[in-house]
């Protein structure tokens, strides 16, 4: 009997222990389920944040691409405007050169006629007034139009031809021989002209030569004017002076060229008066 009681007691203890273990397992399972729910919620929040950030990045990318496209369009428009203005400026310079050359040619013609015909003071005054009138017309002329003058005694036609093998080119060559202007058409690159030479040949005979000073650099988009001696001021780097002559030379057939220090021809300007 005693043994049966002991067995029953052990069974009750084992049953109580099993129940306690079952309660602890259920409690642990509940905690695990709660942890899973919490982690799922955190994961959902993180996924939502990632999606929000992806949308923000996509929006910023579209905004940047739109801004970049607008900037490229504005840059292209500015480049087209600059090209059009440069073309217009060159047309104006060509017109100015033609008008200056025509005025110089008519001045020579009138002076020659004065000497040949021994004109009276009244006639000379009318001739000089005529030259001044042509100068006024030259200074007020614009666009691609050129002045046409008809003389009862003689007429002439002056043509110009420019070429270049690089960004440095002739911008203006004064028909009266006062100055020569070069321009660097590059918008980004400076050009070193150390040792470069200007050679000007007048009517196949007289030749004038000028050498740029050491370490001289023509900045991108800038010009330099080389004055004949006594015609302008030495203000480098924008203005230089050719000290060997008071005039670059005037003639009916004038060839001016720019050479590198290795005598490679880089730009030419040809003026012909017929």
């Amino acid at each position: 009997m005693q043994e049966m009681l002991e067995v029953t007691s052990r069974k009750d203890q084992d049953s109580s222990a099993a129940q306690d273990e079952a309660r602890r397992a259920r409690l642990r399972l509940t905690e695990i389920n709660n942890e899973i729910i919490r982690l799922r919620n955190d994961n959902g929040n993180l996924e939502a944040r990632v999606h929000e950030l992806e949308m923000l990045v996509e929006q910023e990318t579209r905004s940047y691409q739109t801004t970049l496209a607008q900037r490229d369009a504005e840059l292209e428009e500015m480049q087209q405007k600059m090209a059009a203005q440069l073309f217009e400026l060159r047309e104006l310079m060509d017109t100015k050169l033609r008008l200056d050359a025509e005025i110089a040619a008519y001045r020579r013609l009138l002076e020659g006629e004065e000497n040949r015909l021994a004109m009276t003071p009244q006639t000379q005054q009318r001739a000089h007034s005529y030259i001044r009138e042509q100068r006024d017309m030259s200074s007020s002329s614009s666009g691609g139009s050129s002045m046409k003058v008809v003389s009862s005694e003689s007429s002439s036609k002056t043509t110009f031809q420019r070429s270049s093998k690089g960004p440095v080119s002739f911008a203006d060559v004064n028909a009266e021989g006062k100055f020569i202007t070069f321009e660097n058409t590059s918008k980004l690159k400076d050009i070193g002209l150390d040792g470069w030479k200007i050679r000007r040949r007048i009517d196949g005979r007289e030749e004038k030569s000028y050498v740029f000073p050491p370490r001289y650099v023509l900045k991108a988009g800038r010009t330099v004017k080389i004055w004949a001696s006594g015609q302008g001021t030495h203000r480098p780097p924008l203005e230089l002076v050719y000290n060997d002559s008071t005039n670059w030379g005037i003639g009916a057939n004038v060839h001016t060229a720019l050479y590198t220090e290795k005598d490679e021809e880089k730009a030419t300007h040809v003026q012909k008066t017929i």
Side-chain angles (χ1 to χ4, degrees), residues 101-102 105-106 109 149 154-158 273-274:
E102 289 183 10
Y106 280 101
L109 291 173
V149 181
S154 61
S155 62
S156 64
K157 179 181 179 182
T158 301
T273 303
I274 303 175

Side-chain angles (χ1 to χ4, degrees), residues 184-227:
N184 181 0
T185 58
S186 173
K187 299 180 179 62
L188 302 174
K189 185 179 180 181
D190 300 340
I191 305 297
L193 302 184
D194 184 0
W196 287 36
K197 298 174 284 292
I198 304 172
R199 292 175 183 165
R200 183 173 172 90
R201 192 167 182 83
I202 300 96
D203 294 333
R205 299 185 302 274
E206 181 183 6
E207 181 170 308
K208 297 181 181 292
S209 179
Y210 171 83
V211 180
F212 280 89
R215 295 184 297 278
Y216 181 82
V217 175
L218 183 56
K219 298 292 185 179
R222 305 302 293 271
T223 63
V224 57
K225 180 179 290 185
I226 301 98
W227 293 97

Side-chain angles (χ1 to χ4, degrees), residues 14-32:
D14 292 340
S15 176
S16 178
Q19 290 176 357
D20 291 340
E21 184 67 23
R23 283 195 300 271
R24 287 194 297 271
R26 285 194 295 270
L27 181 61
R28 180 59 179 166
L29 180 60
T30 301
E31 291 176 351
I32 292 174

Side-chain angles (χ1 to χ4, degrees), residues 241-254:
V241 174
Y242 171 41
N243 292 314
D244 292 346
S245 178
T246 58
N247 194 284
W248 278 101
I250 302 174
N253 191 341
V254 182

Side-chain angles (χ1 to χ4, degrees), residues 93-101 160 172-175 269:
M93 295 303 301
D94 289 343
T95 301
K96 178 181 179 298
L97 289 173
R98 286 196 298 269
L99 295 176
D100 288 345
F160 301 92
D172 190 5
V173 178
N174 182 254
H269 182 282

Side-chain angles (χ1 to χ4, degrees), residues 134-150:
Q134 303 312 313
R135 281 180 174 173
D136 294 339
M137 292 177 64
S138 172
S139 62
S140 62
S141 175
S142 62
S145 61
S146 61
M147 179 179 66
K148 297 186 181 297
V149 181
V150 179

Side-chain angles (χ1 to χ4, degrees), residues 1-244:
M1 188 65 179
Q2 183 66 31
E3 290 179 358
M4 292 179 61
L5 291 174
E6 291 178 356
V7 171
T8 303
S9 177
R10 285 196 298 270
K11 287 183 179 180
D12 290 341
Q13 292 176 356
D14 292 340
S15 176
S16 178
Q19 290 176 357
D20 291 340
E21 184 67 23
R23 283 195 300 271
R24 287 194 297 271
R26 285 194 295 270
L27 181 61
R28 180 59 179 166
L29 180 60
T30 301
E31 291 176 351
I32 292 174
N33 288 333
N34 291 336
E35 182 68 13
I36 291 173
I37 293 172
R38 186 185 67 80
L39 292 175
R40 285 177 177 174
N41 291 334
D42 291 344
N43 184 60
N45 293 333
L46 290 174
E47 288 179 349
R49 181 57 178 166
V50 168
H51 180 70
E52 180 182 353
L53 291 176
E54 288 176 347
M55 294 294 293
L56 182 61
V57 169
E58 184 178 355
Q59 181 179 355
E60 291 294 330
T61 301
R62 286 198 300 266
S63 177
Y64 173 77
Q65 291 176 345
T66 301
T67 303
L68 188 63
Q70 291 175 350
R71 189 206 65 177
D72 291 342
E74 291 175 357
L75 182 61
E76 183 178 359
E77 182 180 0
M78 290 178 62
Q79 289 176 342
Q80 292 176 353
K81 288 182 179 179
M82 289 178 62
Q85 291 176 353
L86 181 61
F87 179 76
E88 182 179 358
L89 177 61
R90 288 186 173 179
E91 284 191 335
L92 290 173
M93 295 303 301
D94 289 343
T95 301
K96 178 181 179 298
L97 289 173
R98 286 196 298 269
L99 295 176
D100 288 345
E102 289 183 10
I103 290 172
Y106 280 101
R107 180 183 294 108
R108 292 196 300 271
L109 291 173
L110 290 171
E111 290 175 352
E113 290 301 311
E114 287 179 10
N115 296 331
R116 187 173 67 85
L117 300 175
M119 298 171 65
T120 64
Q122 293 81 2
T123 307
Q124 292 177 7
Q125 183 177 2
R126 288 197 300 271
H128 290 303
S129 298
Y130 174 76
I131 292 176
R132 285 195 298 271
E133 180 183 352
Q134 303 312 313
R135 281 180 174 173
D136 294 339
M137 292 177 64
S138 172
S139 62
S140 62
S141 175
S142 62
S145 61
S146 61
M147 179 179 66
K148 297 186 181 297
V149 181
V150 179
S151 171
S152 59
E153 296 181 1
S154 61
S155 62
S156 64
K157 179 181 179 182
T158 301
T159 60
F160 301 92
Q161 183 177 356
R162 294 186 298 181
S163 64
S164 63
K165 299 176 183 178
V168 180
S169 62
F170 285 90
D172 190 5
V173 178
N174 182 254
E176 297 179 356
K178 294 182 178 181
F179 61 82
I180 296 175
T181 304
F182 291 95
E183 65 177 339
N184 181 0
T185 58
S186 173
K187 299 180 179 62
L188 302 174
K189 185 179 180 181
D190 300 340
I191 305 297
L193 302 184
D194 184 0
W196 287 36
K197 298 174 284 292
I198 304 172
R199 292 175 183 165
R200 183 173 172 90
R201 192 167 182 83
I202 300 96
D203 294 333
R205 299 185 302 274
E206 181 183 6
E207 181 170 308
K208 297 181 181 292
S209 179
Y210 171 83
V211 180
F212 280 89
R215 295 184 297 278
Y216 181 82
V217 175
L218 183 56
K219 298 292 185 179
R222 305 302 293 271
T223 63
V224 57
K225 180 179 290 185
I226 301 98
W227 293 97
S229 180
Q231 302 292 345
T233 306
H234 184 68
R235 293 186 298 182
L238 300 180
E239 297 182 63
L240 306 174
V241 174
Y242 171 41
N243 292 314
D244 292 346

